[in-house]
Amino acid sequence: MNTSDSILPSRSQTVIIGAGAVGCSVAYHLSELGAEDVTVVDQGPLPVTGGSSVHAPGIMFQTSPSKLQTKTAHYTSRLLSDAGVYDEVGGIEVARSEDRMDFLRRRVEWATSYGLPEPQLLSPQEVTEYLPLINEDEILGGYYSPTDGRVDGIAALQWYIEQSEADFYGDTEVIDLTVTDGRITAVETDRGRIQCDRCVIATNNWGYQTAQLADVDLPIAPVEHQYVVTEPMAELATTESNIGANTEGLEIPGNRDIQEHMSEGPNRPVGRDQDNSLYFRTHGDAIGLGSYNHETLSVNPQSMGTNTEDSQASVRGFTREHWEEPTHPNREKSAKQAFDELLPATADAEYAATENGIFVFTPDGMPAVGPTAEVDGLWSALAIWWTHSGGYGRIVAEWMENGVPRLDDTLVDTSGIHVRRFAPHVGEPEYFVDKGAKRYQQVYSIVEPRWQPSEHRGLRTSPFSHKQAELGAEFYQSGGWETSQWYDSNTDLVAEYDEAIPEQDGWESINRSPITGAEHLHTRNAVSMFDMTSFSSIMVEGVDAESYLQRMCSNDVAVDPGDVRYSLLLNEGGGILADITVVGLDDEQYMVTTGGGSSPGVHGTWLREHAPETVSVHVEEGAKSTIGLWGPQSRLLLQRVTDADVSNDGFPYFSAKQMYVGEVPVTALRVSYVGELGWELWAPVEYGERLWETLWEAGQDLDVRPMGAGALESMRLEKGYALWGTDIDTGATPDAAGLSFAVDLETDFIGKEGVQADRREGIDSILTPITLDNSTDILSSGRPIHGGGDAIGYVQAADFGYSIGESIVYAYLPTAYADAGTNVQIQCEGESYEATVRDEPLFDQEREKIIR
């Protein structure tokens, strides 16, 4: 309901700031789920607010290497199609290079994996049958997705407003957010104060500014990009046009030409030329041309501004030099030159409307959604385009109402989109603006596997980093941490294990080294040291620590001091929020260990916000320096440097000791993520350098070696050990992930009802190991798996198993296909691979190497 002229309520259970594509979607879906008392406010008039939702051309290409991005896009297209505000004209991406043609083949594979209808490759002639204005000589082919299209932005916003039970107020500027005792309590506007229990920031271009009102640093970087609409073209003269009548009766901030042309729909497939960072669509009898093909034009996130009589807040003046000159650092041609070659009919066309429109990027290019860590009840729904807005609105609404992020009644993976995933430094404006600029440059680029940035490096390093650098560490950045993938000092091992390390070529070989295979095999045969400093420890202390952990953990974690228990953290729907180890230190003190990256923000905050007053939860991010000491010689090495008994009887598997390694006090855990005898040695960070030196010097005659994360990945897949964010996430349940052993239904824990429902209904698919029959290629994630002629799943994780001599794939397969011996086919890089389902673990099934 549009109540722009009414008096603002003094109280509302939920306030959504921003009435654009995302804010309206959240409001609509909250209403669908039965939420009452929802208020939406926006600084602009309704429905044409002046934000990016109304200046965008509305083009929707659904296919992405991300399953969630693809799924949210398809949901959005179906929702808006049913609403009558979506033109399903199809979408075509053209290739003007061989590399792009390879990329389009990947498009088909991703679309097949994630369930988009009828994706197909087109010949140049077939492309021009759909889009006759394209110069056939300029292209090698195209990718066609028939359900792609264009959303009518203004009509969609009006539909949301009319269909939602929420109350909408335009011309209402938010000037402050009131936070009391760490919780959102009110939204202050220029028209009055609204008390609330929860608040959603859906202001996109203004996301950073809005969050700052609550002293929250959200890394939302606004940037400009260009769009023009030609005057009517003779080649499209037979097409009807409503230009001049599309926005009649609407209040339009600034220049009406932009909204008038954006409201004119296409009658041919939408298109893009990613080789030149361009996209295009028809606007009745004209063509709209969009360009990322220029240097990044970053906008100060602290001064986005508001609408004026002359301009919309999220539109800047068109800069012709960026259209006509090649200013993009990775493109040789200007936007105009590339368009003139691809669409010759536009070469001499005049422009009826032009803009530099603003939209936003996060440092990793993914949305930022979910509850913020800093303020209870404050939610983020930011960095989302029209393409995915319907889907993410549904996810956020489900999360808010039911405590579980879902889409189409299915659990979804939030590991890559959670607003809490960002490391502490990411909120610094210079950092995230630079990162956003890089993402803008890459938006249509072919980003190679394991690509690494060159800027803002060395922010977070372990105490071992200079030792690792001396050993030739190849550092990759993850969560701001510099983590070694392999070591050049181990080059000699490649010759030693040469016959067991098959050559890799093609796409998956990029930024990969055979040294990782050598480190893998050396660890299986001798002893290696692995830097785990980026991993997180969380200290849980207090008189009620045990009962609290029982409530939080899926397993029975009533452990005695010195015991270690593997468990899961689940959300209310039974989705896997984290896998953890719980270490009993004494009766009222526990150490919880989990991964690095987003773990401190996501998992640590989850534990902290559920803790009673009688329990202290302290996330020790970067406070400990940790070494994984693994391999059959690890006991001999460790015993040399400690007086503690590390024999199998004195220090059994899955137990812990507080002891000394040389002079260094450590908490030693006898656990192994690589399936070998070994320990994790956790020490205060100031002791880290001495810990490394002590082990290194004592192990020289045992040929101790450093080991990188590349070897860790292949070794853990051989053992079937899950990795959160890759194999397991909030989109998977314990039974589907093969982790039923980590669930004890005799205890009461968050997510228990979800697990029980899963077992009553039965699981549809299960995480399953597969090996290639006649190939040593390493496959890429997201590629489709076929059984009986149908797509039945996709590659979740893959690597070569150097100990078993086979290429490994893990995938969630329907239970009917999950029995060992079942034959399947996997499509990757245009090839079809025969493969066989296997029992797990693939390596050391009797667990003799771990428990000896």
Side-chain angles (χ1 to χ4, degrees), residues 637-651:
L637 174 50
L638 185 58
Q639 192 66 80
R640 288 178 176 180
V641 294
T642 184
D643 292 332
D645 182 0
V646 297
S647 67
N648 197 45
D649 291 335
F651 201 155

Side-chain angles (χ1 to χ4, degrees), residues 373 420-424 460 481 533-541 548-549 552 569 578 580 590-611 615-624 682 685:
R420 296 176 178 176
R421 73 187 182 274
F422 299 111
R460 311 177 85 185
W481 285 98
T533 300
S534 63
F535 287 52
S536 304
S537 57
I538 303 169
M539 300 304 297
V540 179
E541 303 176 76
Y548 158 73
L549 284 172
M552 300 304 297
L569 301 179
I580 61 174
Y590 299 82
M591 184 171 79
V592 176
T593 72
T594 183
S598 63
S599 290
V602 176
H603 309 147
T605 303
W606 174 262
L607 287 171
R608 189 168 54 235
E609 68 187 5
H610 285 83
V615 174
S616 167
V617 176
H618 177 56
V619 182
E620 296 186 314
E621 185 174 12
K624 289 192 170 78
W682 295 72
V685 70

Side-chain angles (χ1 to χ4, degrees), residues 372-427:
T372 63
E374 298 86 350
V375 179
D376 290 345
L378 184 64
W379 291 71
S380 172
L382 295 169
I384 300 166
W385 300 358
W386 261 118
T387 304
H388 313 99
S389 57
Y392 281 118
R394 176 60 183 266
I395 289 170
V396 171
E398 288 274 7
W399 206 342
M400 295 177 70
E401 280 297 287
N402 302 316
V404 182
R406 284 192 173 95
L407 184 66
D408 280 336
D409 298 323
T410 301
L411 295 172
V412 297
D413 170 21
T414 59
S415 61
I417 61 168
H418 204 308
V419 68
R420 296 176 178 176
R421 73 187 182 274
F422 299 111
H425 62 271
V426 172

Side-chain angles (χ1 to χ4, degrees), residues 2 4 19-20 24 42-55 152-155 157-158 161 170-171 246-256 258-260 262-263 307 312-315:
N2 186 344
S4 295
C24 286
D42 197 288
Q43 65 179 342
L46 300 179
V48 188
T49 62
S52 57
S53 298
V54 294
H55 73 63
D152 184 340
I154 296 175
L157 295 179
Q158 191 63 54
I161 291 170
D171 300 311
N246 287 317
T247 60
E248 188 175 350
L250 294 175
E251 181 181 354
I252 306 292
N255 186 347
R256 183 176 291 267
I258 295 171
Q259 268 63 53
E260 186 65 32
M262 294 307 178
S263 296
N307 296 328
Q312 293 181 22
S314 63
V315 174

Side-chain angles (χ1 to χ4, degrees), residues 601-684:
V602 176
H603 309 147
T605 303
W606 174 262
L607 287 171
R608 189 168 54 235
E609 68 187 5
H610 285 83
E613 292 183 358
T614 55
V615 174
S616 167
V617 176
H618 177 56
V619 182
E620 296 186 314
E621 185 174 12
K624 289 192 170 78
S625 49
T626 308
I627 292 176
L629 185 69
W630 296 317
Q633 299 287 356
S634 58
R635 176 178 285 122
L636 177 56
L637 174 50
L638 185 58
Q639 192 66 80
R640 288 178 176 180
V641 294
T642 184
D643 292 332
D645 182 0
V646 297
S647 67
N648 197 45
D649 291 335
F651 201 155
Y653 185 56
F654 254 67
S655 64
K657 282 187 179 183
Q658 291 179 301
M659 64 189 209
Y660 292 96
V661 172
E663 303 162 292
V664 178
V666 303
T667 299
L669 315 182
R670 191 173 162 202
V671 296
S672 169
Y673 193 54
V674 298
E676 289 291 335
L677 174 68
W679 285 262
E680 293 178 5
L681 304 174
W682 295 72

Side-chain angles (χ1 to χ4, degrees), residues 46-68:
L46 300 179
V48 188
T49 62
S52 57
S53 298
V54 294
H55 73 63
I59 292 174
M60 290 177 56
F61 293 95
Q62 300 168 86
T63 311
S64 168
S66 161
K67 174 185 175 182
L68 187 55

Side-chain angles (χ1 to χ4, degrees), residues 89 92 94 120 122-136 139 144 267-269:
V89 291
I92 294 177
V94 299
Q120 54 193 284
L122 303 178
S123 68
Q125 181 180 359
E126 289 170 325
V127 169
T128 56
E129 288 173 3
Y130 285 106
L131 295 171
L133 295 187
I134 283 182
N135 179 359
E136 185 177 318
I139 63 174
Y144 178 54
N267 57 9
R268 296 178 179 179

